[in-house]
Amino acid sequence: MKKMSNIYESAANTLGIFNSPCLTKVELRVACKGISDRDALSKPDPCVILKMQSHGQWFEVDRTEVIRTCINPVFSKLFTVDFYFEEVQRLRFEVHDISSNHNGLKEADFLGGMECTLGQIVSQRKLSKSLLKHGNTAGKSSITVIAEELSGNDDYVELSFSARKLDDKDFFSKSDPFLEIFRVNDDATQQLVHRTEVVMNNLNPAWKTFKVSVNSLCSGDQDRKLKCIVWDWDSNGKHDFIGEFSSTFKEMRGAMEGRQVQWECINPKYKAKKKNYKNSGIVILNQCKIHKMHSFLDYIMGGCQIQFTVAIDFTASNGDPRNSCSLHYIHPYQPNEYLKALVAVGEICQDYDSDKMFPAFGFGARIPPEYKVSHDFAINFNEDNPECAGIQGVVEAYQSCLPKLQLYGPTNIAPIIQKVAKSASEETNTKEASQYFILLILTDGVITDMADTREAIVHASHLPMSVIIVGVGNADFSDMQMLDGDDGILRSPKGEPVLRDIVQFVPFRNFKHASPAALAKSVLAEVPNQVVDYYNGKGIKPKCVSEYESSRTLAP
């Protein structure tokens, strides 16, 4: 078994991979210029829809707010996307005119589109292109997309503003105020951070609480100048200026723990002209809450255990294990592909699991004593305790069960996903970050229960679990890529989308001549973010705040 120990060593050498960020989150901001409406008499109500390409099809990822009667809209809502350096990620921005009476999209509402790759935007930081109408004709309208990397500090802040005694700008009613917050960049340009909703006919408005990333608000610099402007909304899009004030995130943090921060809203023209001018109203920040985004290491160091389960494909398409062409052939010195994949991935997960006991299951075989087909049998044949001691224990159970099985079919993986989901579902009752489940499925072919599998994955996306599928052998795995929602959104047969992308699919043949470390790195790259997305999304903090974490908090 000398070769086997080499595999162990090289897999163990990859343990540093979890410390490197595996992808970058990028915030995209969108603005358009010169949008013309089909109806020349009225201005459009534009909204930008972001689509991503997957297997030649476009899927909607997100959309901005609708800005009423505006030909040069600057959108407040930003798109957050994952940027994978090594992939070409095709994006399409579509501008639609959404009239106020319906939210659906009609063909006639299309005002223009622009296609590019995420890499182009990230490398240029700011990309401006013409909007193309149907038939790829360019009009006078253009779109600008600005990219900003979310680096280091991805905490976000919740702000709640109100105002009192604002100037009245309307003759027959009171002002309809809204607030805009801009970040002043190093080159003195201003970047819109947030635009509140309009509060109609009210000089003492209370705007809805909103959330924004610290990165977006001040680029992580608490002393960066923020410019805030209050406008009176007008239906023709020509809003009246009420007043403005400047602040910093540092100053806004004064509104924590029940305190308020207030600013005088000043109209510089009035201030210059009127002797007894005081202000055009008072703007109040009623609360500022900082929400800490915890990292993968915060959770692991806080005592979160990775519970690792293995499922192995024993369908007849693998070939008779006694035949040297079989994917399950047990060679005296050379591990087969199933063993190589199992060891490479398992060795890494093993280090995050305190008891080093791994449940291991098989599917697609007839099992003794009655030789009925099972899709979730324990490979140690102990249904009450399917756990094996360490990866070595899984390897031994696999080798000893093979001669006792009749390889059969079909390739159904939904039952094993449901089995692990049941354990993960029990874990959610603790409301703690104590156990996260990873299911490693090793299979030689395309699965036969795709509809049930999609349903099981959508259900599992609400639980603390991830599914890793390694395709072994030379089958056509193109259908399997559909389960890995990197580019399109996986949906259940009923149309329900996954809450988060929890499946990673990798064909083992891509790594046949690479080190096991390369396979493990590719397969496990997304796991840290999946763990973080799950617990942060549920608002679950690491169990005990480690020294590591307290050293990276924002200074007060």
Side-chain angles (χ1 to χ4, degrees), residues 173-226:
S173 63
K174 295 182 177 132
S175 294
D176 308 314
F178 67 94
L179 170 69
E180 287 185 328
I181 301 175
F182 294 87
R183 180 185 78 209
V184 180
N185 296 322
D186 295 338
D187 60 0
T189 56
Q190 295 181 9
Q191 180 68 60
L192 177 67
V193 173
H194 184 76
R195 180 187 295 120
T196 67
E197 78 284 8
V198 177
V199 176
M200 300 299 284
N201 195 24
N202 194 332
L203 301 180
N204 303 297
W207 291 289
K208 286 178 187 163
T209 302
F210 62 91
K211 288 177 184 172
V212 60
S213 71
V214 170
N215 199 73
S216 176
L217 181 64
C218 63
S219 308
D221 172 6
Q222 298 187 54
D223 296 311
R224 182 177 295 281
K225 185 177 173 185
L226 303 174

Coordinates of all heavy atoms in Angstrom, one line a residue, residues 173-226:
S173 N -49.6 71.3 -1.9 CA -49.5 70.2 -0.8 C -48.1 70.4 -0.2 O -47.4 71.3 -0.5 CB -49.6 68.8 -1.5 OG -48.5 68.6 -2.4
K174 N -47.7 69.5 0.6 CA -46.4 69.5 1.3 C -45.4 68.8 0.4 O -45.7 68.1 -0.5 CB -46.5 68.9 2.7 CG -47.4 69.7 3.6 CD -47.4 69.0 5.0 CE -48.3 69.9 5.9 NZ -49.2 69.1 6.7
S175 N -44.1 69.0 0.7 CA -43.0 68.4 -0.1 C -43.1 66.9 0.0 O -43.7 66.3 0.9 CB -41.6 68.8 0.5 OG -41.4 70.1 0.3
D176 N -42.5 66.2 -1.0 CA -42.5 64.7 -1.1 C -41.0 64.3 -1.0 O -40.4 64.1 -2.0 CB -43.1 64.2 -2.4 CG -44.5 64.8 -2.7 OD1 -45.3 64.8 -1.7 OD2 -44.7 65.3 -3.8
P177 N -40.4 64.3 0.2 CA -39.0 64.2 0.4 C -38.4 62.8 0.2 O -39.0 61.8 0.5 CB -38.7 64.7 1.8 CG -40.0 64.5 2.5 CD -41.1 64.5 1.5
F178 N -37.2 62.7 -0.4 CA -36.4 61.5 -0.4 C -34.9 61.9 -0.1 O -34.6 63.1 -0.4 CB -36.5 60.7 -1.6 CG -36.0 61.3 -2.9 CD1 -34.7 61.0 -3.4 CD2 -36.8 62.1 -3.7 CE1 -34.3 61.5 -4.6 CE2 -36.4 62.6 -4.9 CZ -35.1 62.3 -5.4
L179 N -34.1 61.0 0.4 CA -32.7 61.3 0.8 C -31.8 60.5 -0.1 O -32.0 59.3 -0.3 CB -32.6 60.9 2.2 CG -31.2 60.9 2.9 CD1 -30.6 62.3 3.0 CD2 -31.2 60.2 4.2
E180 N -30.7 61.1 -0.6 CA -29.7 60.4 -1.3 C -28.4 60.5 -0.5 O -28.0 61.6 0.0 CB -29.4 61.0 -2.7 CG -30.5 60.6 -3.6 CD -30.2 61.1 -5.1 OE1 -29.6 62.2 -5.2 OE2 -30.7 60.5 -6.0
I181 N -27.6 59.4 -0.4 CA -26.3 59.4 0.3 C -25.2 59.1 -0.7 O -25.3 58.1 -1.4 CB -26.3 58.4 1.4 CG1 -27.4 58.7 2.5 CG2 -24.9 58.4 2.1 CD1 -27.5 57.7 3.6
F182 N -24.2 60.0 -0.8 CA -23.1 59.8 -1.7 C -21.8 59.6 -1.0 O -21.6 60.2 0.1 CB -22.9 61.0 -2.7 CG -24.1 61.2 -3.6 CD1 -25.2 61.9 -3.2 CD2 -24.1 60.7 -4.9 CE1 -26.2 62.1 -4.1 CE2 -25.1 60.9 -5.8 CZ -26.2 61.6 -5.4
R183 N -21.0 58.7 -1.5 CA -19.6 58.6 -0.9 C -18.7 59.4 -1.8 O -18.7 59.4 -3.0 CB -19.2 57.1 -1.1 CG -17.8 56.8 -0.5 CD -17.5 55.3 -0.9 NE -17.1 55.2 -2.3 CZ -17.3 54.1 -3.0 NH1 -17.9 53.0 -2.4 NH2 -16.9 54.0 -4.2
V184 N -17.8 60.2 -1.1 CA -16.9 61.1 -1.9 C -15.6 60.3 -2.0 O -14.9 59.9 -1.1 CB -16.6 62.4 -1.2 CG1 -15.6 63.3 -2.0 CG2 -17.9 63.2 -1.0
N185 N -15.2 59.9 -3.3 CA -14.1 59.1 -3.6 C -12.8 59.9 -3.5 O -12.8 61.2 -3.4 CB -14.2 58.5 -5.0 CG -15.3 57.6 -5.1 OD1 -15.6 56.8 -4.1 ND2 -16.0 57.5 -6.2
D186 N -11.6 59.2 -3.5 CA -10.3 59.9 -3.4 C -10.1 60.9 -4.5 O -9.4 61.9 -4.3 CB -9.2 58.9 -3.4 CG -9.3 58.0 -2.2 OD1 -9.9 58.4 -1.2 OD2 -8.7 56.8 -2.3
D187 N -10.7 60.7 -5.7 CA -10.5 61.6 -6.8 C -11.6 62.7 -6.8 O -11.9 63.4 -7.8 CB -10.5 60.9 -8.1 CG -11.8 60.1 -8.4 OD1 -12.7 60.2 -7.5 OD2 -11.9 59.5 -9.4
A188 N -12.4 62.8 -5.7 CA -13.4 63.9 -5.5 C -14.7 63.6 -6.2 O -15.7 64.3 -6.2 CB -12.9 65.3 -5.8
T189 N -14.7 62.5 -7.0 CA -16.0 62.1 -7.6 C -17.0 61.6 -6.6 O -16.5 61.1 -5.5 CB -15.8 61.0 -8.7 OG1 -15.2 59.9 -8.1 CG2 -15.0 61.5 -9.9
Q190 N -18.3 61.6 -6.9 CA -19.3 61.2 -5.9 C -20.0 59.9 -6.4 O -20.3 59.8 -7.6 CB -20.3 62.3 -5.6 CG -19.6 63.5 -5.0 CD -20.7 64.6 -4.7 OE1 -21.9 64.4 -4.8 NE2 -20.2 65.7 -4.3
Q191 N -20.1 58.9 -5.5 CA -20.7 57.6 -5.9 C -22.0 57.5 -5.1 O -21.9 57.5 -3.8 CB -19.7 56.5 -5.5 CG -20.2 55.1 -5.8 CD -20.3 54.9 -7.3 OE1 -19.4 55.0 -8.1 NE2 -21.6 54.7 -7.8
L192 N -23.1 57.3 -5.7 CA -24.4 57.1 -5.0 C -24.3 55.8 -4.2 O -24.0 54.7 -4.8 CB -25.5 57.0 -6.0 CG -26.9 56.7 -5.4 CD1 -27.4 57.9 -4.5 CD2 -28.0 56.5 -6.5
V193 N -24.6 55.9 -2.9 CA -24.6 54.7 -2.1 C -26.0 54.2 -1.9 O -26.3 53.0 -1.9 CB -23.9 55.0 -0.7 CG1 -24.1 53.9 0.3 CG2 -22.5 55.4 -0.9
H194 N -26.9 55.1 -1.6 CA -28.3 54.7 -1.4 C -29.3 55.8 -1.6 O -28.9 57.0 -1.4 CB -28.5 54.2 0.1 CG -29.9 53.7 0.4 ND1 -30.3 52.5 0.0 CD2 -30.9 54.3 0.9 CE1 -31.5 52.3 0.3 NE2 -32.0 53.4 0.9
R195 N -30.4 55.5 -2.2 CA -31.5 56.5 -2.4 C -32.7 55.9 -1.6 O -33.1 54.8 -1.9 CB -31.8 56.6 -3.8 CG -32.9 57.6 -4.1 CD -33.3 57.6 -5.6 NE -32.2 58.1 -6.5 CZ -31.7 57.4 -7.4 NH1 -32.1 56.1 -7.7 NH2 -30.7 57.9 -8.2
T196 N -33.3 56.7 -0.7 CA -34.5 56.2 0.0 C -35.7 56.2 -0.9 O -35.7 56.8 -2.0 CB -34.8 57.0 1.3 OG1 -35.2 58.3 0.8 CG2 -33.6 57.2 2.2
E197 N -36.8 55.7 -0.4 CA -38.1 55.8 -1.0 C -38.6 57.3 -0.8 O -38.1 58.0 0.0 CB -39.1 54.8 -0.5 CG -39.7 55.1 0.9 CD -38.8 54.9 2.1 OE1 -37.6 54.6 1.9 OE2 -39.3 55.0 3.2
V198 N -39.6 57.6 -1.6 CA -40.2 59.0 -1.4 C -41.3 58.8 -0.4 O -42.1 57.9 -0.4 CB -40.8 59.4 -2.8 CG1 -41.5 60.8 -2.6 CG2 -39.7 59.5 -3.8
V199 N -41.4 59.8 0.6 CA -42.5 59.9 1.5 C -43.4 61.0 1.1 O -42.9 62.2 1.0 CB -42.0 60.1 3.0 CG1 -43.2 60.2 3.9 CG2 -41.1 58.9 3.4
M200 N -44.6 60.7 0.6 CA -45.4 61.7 0.0 C -46.0 62.7 1.0 O -46.4 62.3 2.1 CB -46.6 61.1 -0.8 CG -46.1 60.1 -1.9 SD -45.1 60.9 -3.2 CE -46.4 61.8 -4.1
N201 N -46.0 64.0 0.6 CA -46.8 65.0 1.3 C -46.5 65.0 2.8 O -47.4 65.0 3.7 CB -48.3 64.7 1.1 CG -49.2 65.9 1.4 OD1 -48.7 67.0 1.4 ND2 -50.4 65.6 1.8
N202 N -45.2 65.2 3.2 CA -44.8 65.1 4.6 C -43.5 65.8 4.8 O -42.5 65.5 4.2 CB -44.6 63.6 4.9 CG -44.6 63.4 6.4 OD1 -44.2 64.2 7.2 ND2 -45.0 62.2 6.9
L203 N -43.6 66.8 5.7 CA -42.4 67.6 6.0 C -41.6 67.0 7.2 O -40.5 67.5 7.5 CB -42.7 69.1 6.3 CG -43.5 69.8 5.2 CD1 -43.8 71.2 5.7 CD2 -42.7 69.8 3.9
N204 N -42.1 65.9 7.8 CA -41.5 65.2 8.9 C -41.4 63.7 8.6 O -41.9 62.9 9.3 CB -42.2 65.4 10.2 CG -42.4 66.9 10.5 OD1 -41.4 67.6 10.7 ND2 -43.6 67.4 10.5
P205 N -40.7 63.4 7.5 CA -40.7 62.0 7.0 C -39.9 61.0 7.9 O -38.9 61.4 8.5 CB -40.1 62.1 5.6 CG -39.1 63.2 5.7 CD -39.8 64.2 6.6
A206 N -40.3 59.8 7.9 CA -39.5 58.7 8.5 C -39.2 57.7 7.4 O -40.2 57.1 6.9 CB -40.2 58.1 9.7
W207 N -38.0 57.6 6.9 CA -37.7 56.7 5.8 C -37.5 55.3 6.3 O -37.1 55.1 7.5 CB -36.5 57.2 5.0 CG -36.7 58.5 4.2 CD1 -37.5 58.6 3.1 CD2 -36.2 59.8 4.5 NE1 -37.5 59.9 2.7 CE2 -36.7 60.7 3.6 CE3 -35.4 60.3 5.5 CZ2 -36.4 62.0 3.5 CZ3 -35.1 61.6 5.5 CH2 -35.6 62.5 4.5
K208 N -37.7 54.3 5.4 CA -37.5 52.9 5.8 C -36.0 52.6 6.1 O -35.1 53.2 5.5 CB -37.9 52.0 4.7 CG -39.4 51.9 4.5 CD -39.7 51.0 3.3 CE -41.2 51.0 3.0 NZ -41.5 50.5 1.6
T209 N -35.8 51.7 7.1 CA -34.5 51.3 7.4 C -33.9 50.6 6.2 O -34.6 49.9 5.5 CB -34.5 50.3 8.6 OG1 -35.2 51.0 9.7 CG2 -33.2 49.8 9.1
F210 N -32.6 50.8 6.0 CA -31.9 50.1 4.9 C -30.6 49.6 5.3 O -30.0 50.0 6.3 CB -31.8 51.0 3.6 CG -30.9 52.2 3.9 CD1 -29.6 52.2 3.6 CD2 -31.5 53.4 4.4 CE1 -28.8 53.3 3.8 CE2 -30.7 54.5 4.6 CZ -29.3 54.5 4.3
K211 N -30.1 48.6 4.5 CA -28.8 48.0 4.8 C -27.8 48.3 3.7 O -28.2 48.3 2.5 CB -28.9 46.4 4.9 CG -29.6 46.0 6.2 CD -29.7 44.4 6.1 CE -30.5 43.9 7.3 NZ -30.8 42.5 7.2
V212 N -26.6 48.5 4.0 CA -25.5 48.8 3.0 C -24.2 48.2 3.5 O -24.0 48.2 4.7 CB -25.5 50.3 2.7 CG1 -25.1 51.1 3.9 CG2 -24.5 50.6 1.5
S213 N -23.4 47.7 2.6 CA -22.1 47.2 3.1 C -21.2 48.3 3.5 O -21.2 49.4 2.9 CB -21.4 46.3 2.0 OG -20.9 47.1 1.0
V214 N -20.4 48.1 4.5 CA -19.4 49.1 5.0 C -18.5 49.5 3.8 O -18.1 50.6 3.6 CB -18.6 48.6 6.2 CG1 -17.4 49.5 6.5 CG2 -19.5 48.4 7.4
N215 N -18.2 48.5 3.0 CA -17.3 48.7 1.8 C -17.9 49.7 0.9 O -17.3 50.7 0.4 CB -17.1 47.4 1.1 CG -15.9 47.4 0.2 OD1 -14.8 47.4 0.7 ND2 -16.1 47.4 -1.1
S216 N -19.2 49.5 0.7 CA -20.0 50.4 -0.3 C -20.1 51.8 0.3 O -20.0 52.8 -0.4 CB -21.3 49.7 -0.5 OG -22.1 50.5 -1.3
L217 N -20.4 51.9 1.6 CA -20.6 53.2 2.3 C -19.4 54.0 2.3 O -19.5 55.2 2.0 CB -21.2 52.9 3.7 CG -21.5 54.2 4.5 CD1 -22.7 54.9 3.9 CD2 -21.9 53.8 5.9
C218 N -18.3 53.5 2.7 CA -17.1 54.3 2.9 C -15.8 53.7 2.5 O -14.7 54.1 2.9 CB -17.0 54.8 4.4 SG -16.8 53.4 5.5
S219 N -15.8 52.6 1.7 CA -14.6 51.9 1.3 C -13.8 51.5 2.5 O -12.6 51.4 2.4 CB -13.8 52.7 0.3 OG -14.5 53.2 -0.7
G220 N -14.4 51.2 3.6 CA -13.7 50.8 4.8 C -13.0 51.9 5.6 O -12.4 51.7 6.6
D221 N -13.2 53.2 5.1 CA -12.5 54.3 5.7 C -13.6 55.1 6.5 O -14.4 55.8 5.9 CB -11.8 55.2 4.6 CG -11.3 56.5 5.2 OD1 -11.3 56.7 6.4 OD2 -10.9 57.3 4.4
Q222 N -13.5 55.0 7.8 CA -14.6 55.6 8.6 C -14.6 57.1 8.6 O -15.6 57.8 8.9 CB -14.4 55.2 10.1 CG -14.5 53.7 10.3 CD -14.5 53.3 11.7 OE1 -15.3 53.9 12.5 NE2 -13.6 52.5 12.1
D223 N -13.4 57.7 8.1 CA -13.4 59.2 8.1 C -13.7 59.8 6.7 O -13.6 61.0 6.4 CB -12.0 59.7 8.5 CG -11.7 59.3 10.0 OD1 -12.6 59.6 10.8 OD2 -10.7 58.8 10.3
R224 N -14.0 58.9 5.7 CA -14.3 59.3 4.4 C -15.6 60.2 4.4 O -16.5 59.9 5.1 CB -14.5 58.1 3.5 CG -14.8 58.5 2.0 CD -14.9 57.2 1.1 NE -13.7 56.5 1.1 CZ -12.6 56.8 0.3 NH1 -12.7 57.9 -0.5 NH2 -11.6 56.1 0.3
K225 N -15.5 61.3 3.6 CA -16.7 62.2 3.6 C -17.9 61.6 2.9 O -17.7 61.0 1.8 CB -16.2 63.5 2.9 CG -17.3 64.6 2.9 CD -16.8 65.9 2.2 CE -17.9 66.9 2.0 NZ -17.5 68.1 1.3
L226 N -19.0 61.7 3.5 CA -20.3 61.3 2.9 C -21.2 62.5 2.7 O -21.3 63.4 3.6 CB -21.0 60.3 3.8 CG -20.2 59.1 4.2 CD1 -21.0 58.3 5.3 CD2 -19.9 58.2 3.0

